[in-house]
Amino acid sequence: MAVDYAVIVVYLAGMLAMGWWGMRRAKSKSEFLVAGRRLGPAMYSGTMAAIVLGGASTIGGVGLGYQYGLSGAWMVFTIGLGLLALSVFFSARIARLKVYTVSEMLDLRYGGRAGIISGVVMWAYTLMLAVTSTIAYATIFDVLFDVNRTVAIVLGGTIVVAYSTLGGMWSITLTDMVQFVVKTIGLLLLLLPIAVVKAGGFSEMKAQLPTEYFDPLGIGGETIFTYVLIYTFGMLIGQDIWQRVFTARSDTTARWGGTVAGTYCLVYAIAGAVIGTAAKVMYPDLASADSAFATIVKDELPVGVRGLVLAAALAAVMSTSSGALIACATVANNDIWSRLRGVVGRGGGGAGDEPHDEVKGNRAFILIMGIAVILIAIALNDVVEALTVAYNLLVGGLLVPIIGGLLWRRGTAAGALSAVCVGGVAVVGLMWHYGILANQPIYYGLLASLAVYVVVSLATPPTDAAVLAAWRERLAGNPARPVPEDEALAPGHPSPSGV
């Protein structure tokens, strides 16, 4: 294992070096939070693919392939579909808004009254996403170094917190590009063909396994529908995803770069399912489907290659973890803490602060949120339940007011707030009644949110015409006044038209 250890150590040292380099570039709020909005198509595609394909997509995707065969690709496939939908239909408009958070978008659209509740919901989602990604280090480091769970979480989490705190989005972008390359080589170019060959090829796999393992819908129509609701729609509205859209150099980059990343996700989904199916042939009686990835890597790959593939798994976890962490810190600082301090929009912050001070403040929030994530990850056991709660709250509470705001001009602030509250409460209550992993909470919660949004919006006065005019100008990329790159149009800040 000495060679494998060397590969991993070099990889981890490189991540820290990227963090140090990023710190030298992140001199303003815009550079620290959204990489100066300067990413071109290649870097944008790589970093977007890296953040959406995390530990659940890699280790979990192989596990689903082990359990269900080729139809196990559907979870990651729906993530790719969501990214494609976001890129084709919404990303250009999102990029032109020049904001930092989803809640700021809601404030622009609804007149500055929809942000704090949505901010709390988004913060809870990004926090739990970071926690579940951090827990995944335990599996990988256990295979690598045979260390206990707590040490593995602290080791992996500390590295991510370190480079994220040092350089913000620049560091995360650079590390994500490395992680994207490592994942492509390790999973697609090495593990996939080796697994198929070790299993005897596709003909032997078909001979050894039941026919349902090769049924594209074998996992079940209801499960696929639930994946679409949770993951495809979740991709449309998550702060961690939007914050990457904000890094695009132009709306064209956001659209086409995201389309490339989404297509890559579809390929990645199929590859994970095929690897899992091959693992089922080689190891038909594993106690846990999620151990299929680690088992095939540990037992079937040659020295050196094994280290690279494990580095690929580590890269998948780190990219999602770091993206969720900076999203969590950005929401906590911009959407929650700034409101509680009462300074946003009343002359006490925003454009008047020195950029270096803003960088220091955001860096402090990443460090604080990072420590909290590590501590929660150590205390938490059930990853699937935690992630399910996070996605149910996100989709049930925020999908309707966000998509409604983008598509329906008659939607109002009262309708949006009602949809967030009713959808969130309905999801929580239904999870308590049916169980956290049940499908009904997201079905009924989403329907309740939609019904309340439409009814309350129609029953209340339309959004002020000046607010809508300013919103349309921002969507078109033509604000009534120029928006300085380092100025956050934070919740409560006057809109470009002065409303």
Side-chain angles (χ1 to χ4, degrees):
M1 293 287 288
V3 175
D4 297 325
Y5 290 159
V7 171
I8 299 298
V9 169
V10 169
Y11 168 76
L12 294 177
M15 296 300 99
L16 292 174
M18 294 288 184
W20 182 261
W21 189 89
M23 182 179 67
R24 300 168 64 87
R25 294 201 61 169
K27 301 298 184 182
S28 69
K29 179 177 180 179
S30 173
E31 289 174 336
F32 190 81
L33 293 181
V34 290
R37 307 188 197 273
R38 289 190 290 168
L39 297 192
M43 290 193 74
Y44 179 86
S45 296
T47 190
M48 183 63 86
I51 188 175
V52 300
L53 296 174
S57 300
T58 304
I59 299 171
V62 171
L64 287 172
Y66 183 88
Q67 189 173 359
Y68 298 104
L70 298 185
S71 67
W74 273 107
M75 184 187 77
V76 183
F77 205 84
T78 55
I79 290 174
L81 292 177
L83 186 51
L84 285 171
L86 174 70
S87 301
V88 172
F89 298 113
F90 301 111
S91 64
R93 283 181 284 179
I94 293 170
R96 288 195 292 264
L97 288 175
K98 293 291 189 288
V99 295
Y100 290 99
T101 68
V102 175
S103 293
E104 289 177 26
M105 166 264 169
L106 290 172
D107 277 334
L108 278 171
R109 169 59 181 82
Y110 294 111
R113 291 175 291 167
I116 190 163
I117 296 177
S118 64
V120 171
V121 173
M122 189 64 76
W123 173 78
Y125 157 73
T126 54
L127 178 69
M128 294 313 300
L129 183 61
V131 166
T132 54
S133 301
T134 302
I135 292 173
Y137 296 130
T139 301
I140 300 171
F141 280 106
D142 178 57
V143 175
L144 286 173
F145 305 118
D146 193 25
V147 296
N148 68 49
R149 180 178 183 276
T150 299
V151 173
I153 289 172
V154 171
L155 177 60
T158 298
I159 293 171
V160 169
V161 172
Y163 73 69
S164 300
T165 302
L166 285 172
M169 188 59 82
W170 269 123
S171 295
I172 293 171
T173 297
L174 294 171
T175 55
D176 277 357
M177 284 304 300
V178 174
Q179 290 157 358
F180 172 74
V181 172
V182 171
K183 281 191 287 191
T184 301
I185 295 173
L187 272 295
L188 299 185
L189 301 184
L190 292 176
L191 184 57
L192 175 61
I194 290 173
V196 172
V197 170
K198 291 282 187 177
F202 285 104
S203 59
E204 183 65 20
M205 290 163 61
K206 287 185 177 180
Q208 293 287 335
L209 296 173
T211 56
E212 56 263 27
Y213 263 70
F214 302 92
D215 180 357
L217 303 178
I219 199 170
E222 184 179 356
T223 299
I224 295 171
F225 181 65
T226 302
Y227 284 159
V228 170
L229 284 182
I230 295 177
Y231 297 113
T232 301
F233 288 160
M235 288 296 106
L236 298 179
I237 58 175
Q239 170 68 24
D240 52 325
I241 310 301
W242 279 41
Q243 198 155 344
R244 299 309 173 99
V245 176
F246 300 151
T247 66
R249 185 169 59 200
S250 65
D251 53 6
T252 302
T253 297
R255 182 184 296 112
W256 292 109
T259 301
V260 171
T263 304
Y264 178 90
C265 291
L266 303 183
V267 175
Y268 199 89
I270 297 171
V274 172
I275 292 168
T277 304
K280 184 66 176 179
V281 174
M282 290 182 279
Y283 309 98
D285 300 315
L286 291 178
S288 169
D290 284 341
S291 66
F293 176 86
T295 302
I296 194 171
V297 169
K298 192 172 184 179
D299 294 348
E300 302 297 335
L301 299 186
V303 173
V305 174
R306 178 171 50 200
L308 183 59
V309 172
L310 286 172
L314 195 59
V317 175
M318 283 185 150
S319 57
T320 299
S321 180
S322 59
L325 177 59
I326 193 171
C328 177
T330 302
V331 171
N333 188 13
N334 287 268
D335 296 336
I336 300 175
W337 177 244
S338 293
R339 294 173 186 272
L340 295 177
R341 290 176 58 203
V343 298
V344 175
R346 292 206 294 268
D353 290 341
E354 292 296 326
H356 183 66
D357 292 336
E358 291 184 344
V359 171
K360 286 172 61 178
N362 283 288
R363 183 173 284 138
F365 265 87
I366 291 180
L367 180 60
I368 294 168
M369 291 296 106
I371 293 172
V373 163
I374 292 173
L375 294 176
I376 296 171
I378 292 171
L380 197 63
N381 289 318
D382 200 320
V383 181
V384 175
E385 290 193 358
L387 193 59
T388 301
V389 170
Y391 268 103
N392 282 353
L393 281 173
L394 175 70
V395 175
L398 293 182
L399 177 69
V400 169
I402 291 173
I403 301 302
L406 289 169
L407 299 179
W408 190 40
R409 66 172 294 165
R410 186 60 181 82
T412 65
L417 287 171
S418 300
V420 173
C421 294
V422 170
V425 171
V427 163
V428 172
L430 290 166
M431 283 191 292
W432 177 81
H433 179 71
Y434 288 105
I436 290 177
L437 299 180
N439 293 327
Q440 290 90 340
I442 190 63
Y443 296 165
Y444 301 144
L446 196 55
L447 288 174
S449 178
L450 176 61
V452 168
Y453 179 73
V454 172
V455 170
V456 174
S457 292
L458 293 175
T460 52
T463 304
D464 187 275
V467 172
L468 287 177
W471 165 253
R472 287 193 296 271
E473 288 294 311
R474 289 293 289 269
L475 278 180
N478 300 308
R481 64 173 178 81
V483 181
E485 191 60 28
D486 293 323
E487 176 185 335
L489 188 59
H493 192 85
S495 69
S497 64
V499 177

